[in-house]
Amino acid sequence: MGKVIALSNQKGGVGKTTTTVNLAASLAVAEKKVLLIDFDPQGNASSALGVDRAGMEGKPSTYHALIGQVPLSQVIVPTEMDCLFVAPANGDLAGAEIELVSAFAREAKLKAAIAEIKSQYDFILIDCPPSLGLLTVNALNAADSFLVPLQCEYFALEGLSQLLHTVSLIRQSLNPSLEEEGILLTMFDGRNNLANEVVKEVRTHFSSQVFETIIPRNVRLSECSSFGKPVLLYDIDSKGCLAYLNLAKEVLARNQPKANVPASLATVPVTLGSPGASEPRSAELN
């Protein structure tokens, strides 16, 4: 049975979609079968995996699966990577929140759609929209755990507290088994004193919930999306790629015994866990 992880933060521009795409690709290179569900009406995760949104006209998307027009299995398309698949989204999804307002069990629509295909994947990652509306509630209700990308900037903790409050409400009323996958610090610039302070503050308050890996600011991470590729296929030696390989290694370690971490990730050193750490330049991949 696959594990469903919702990547959520109501604040935009924190690296949420970048993290969803590149974590999915890094898990796929470890020979885990991964499905990325694009649940953001902007459809950026779809584009970042090479889906031509202009060519989606007349084709089913996550919107159609959400409202029950088609099963989710008919929405899923392959990517350049053998083990990575995507359920694409486009602007149609923006209307779903309005359409579902009067629907029965509206908060459980995505969970029902995922149920039929959940056993076919090792991991299912949901790229949530940058809001705490009905789409995000659906994603958190469908998820086994949630992962929070947290930008190393001033207002980060304020946004995090709002999200954790929402998660608390969802646990009380909809999904009591929802677990914390972890908090991921993103867009880190070691030259910035404030970024270092944010890292220190988050680690002090949330301790083991915070991943050791920190995602740095990296030009390659910005560039790869415009080419419709995860950074793994764009520049495997980049600092951003190595950070996401490290993150995948941590996610796998948290979800299975360390002895079973795939060899394709076992040689990737976790060296980005603290500000000022040295940057590895290569990674062995099977």
Side-chain angles (χ1 to χ4, degrees):
M1 184 67 73
K3 181 169 188 179
V4 183
I5 304 174
L7 286 89
S8 180
N9 191 326
Q10 79 277 12
K11 187 176 183 298
V14 299
K16 175 181 56 61
T17 296
T18 298
T19 294
T20 310
V21 169
N22 290 294
L23 174 57
S26 298
L27 290 169
V29 83
E31 299 179 352
K32 297 298 180 182
K33 191 175 181 183
V34 182
L35 171 64
L36 189 158
I37 297 178
D38 191 347
F39 216 49
D40 186 342
Q42 298 177 80
N44 291 333
S46 304
S47 298
L49 288 176
V51 176
D52 180 10
R53 284 186 290 163
M56 286 179 61
E57 189 70 34
K59 296 180 180 178
S61 66
T62 49
Y63 162 76
H64 299 95
L66 184 66
I67 65 173
Q69 281 190 2
V70 298
L72 186 58
S73 57
Q74 291 185 21
V75 175
I76 297 167
V77 295
T79 69
E80 285 188 69
M81 301 183 70
D82 290 342
C83 292
L84 178 57
F85 301 82
V86 59
N90 56 24
D92 291 344
L93 192 57
E97 293 210 50
I98 298 173
E99 292 183 43
L100 292 178
V101 165
S102 60
F104 176 75
R106 61 185 181 180
E107 300 89 355
K109 296 295 184 182
L110 182 60
K111 184 173 186 177
I114 289 175
E116 57 142 343
I117 53 89
K118 188 174 182 180
S119 62
Q120 300 173 27
Y121 297 91
D122 296 306
F123 289 94
I124 298 173
L125 305 186
I126 306 173
D127 184 33
C128 299
S131 68
L132 293 178
L134 188 55
L135 292 178
T136 298
V137 170
N138 258 270
L140 292 172
N141 188 27
D144 298 307
S145 65
F146 67 98
L147 189 157
V148 185
L150 194 67
Q151 188 177 10
C152 295
E153 291 194 357
Y154 182 72
F155 292 110
L157 290 176
E158 183 178 305
L160 178 59
S161 64
Q162 294 172 7
L163 175 62
L164 294 180
H165 176 66
T166 299
V167 167
S168 176
L169 295 176
I170 287 173
R171 281 175 173 154
Q172 291 174 32
S173 58
L174 296 170
N175 187 2
S177 61
L178 181 62
E179 298 177 345
E180 296 168 355
E181 192 67 33
I183 297 169
L184 175 68
L185 293 161
T186 64
M187 300 183 175
F188 175 74
D189 183 350
R191 300 167 298 179
N192 187 323
N193 289 334
L194 179 59
N196 284 285
E197 285 299 316
V198 170
V199 171
K200 182 179 178 181
E201 191 80 6
V202 172
R203 291 205 185 281
T204 299
H205 279 82
F206 297 99
S207 186
S208 62
Q209 296 169 249
V210 185
F211 287 102
E212 285 298 315
T213 301
I214 296 177
I215 307 301
R217 285 194 179 275
N218 181 239
V219 173
R220 295 302 193 200
L221 286 175
S222 302
E223 291 176 347
C224 66
S225 296
S226 64
F227 287 88
K229 297 176 182 291
V231 70
L232 191 66
L233 299 181
Y234 182 71
D235 186 352
I236 195 171
D237 287 327
S238 68
K239 185 165 61 171
C241 180
L242 292 166
Y244 278 112
L245 287 169
N246 286 334
L247 175 63
K249 182 179 177 182
E250 284 196 72
V251 169
L252 290 171
R254 291 186 180 200
N255 285 282
Q256 61 188 18
K258 288 187 178 180
N260 292 335
V261 174
S264 53
L265 288 178
T267 55
V268 179
V270 181
T271 56
L272 295 171
S274 58
S278 61
E279 176 192 335
R281 296 304 306 161
S282 63
E284 291 183 29
L285 299 173
N286 285 345

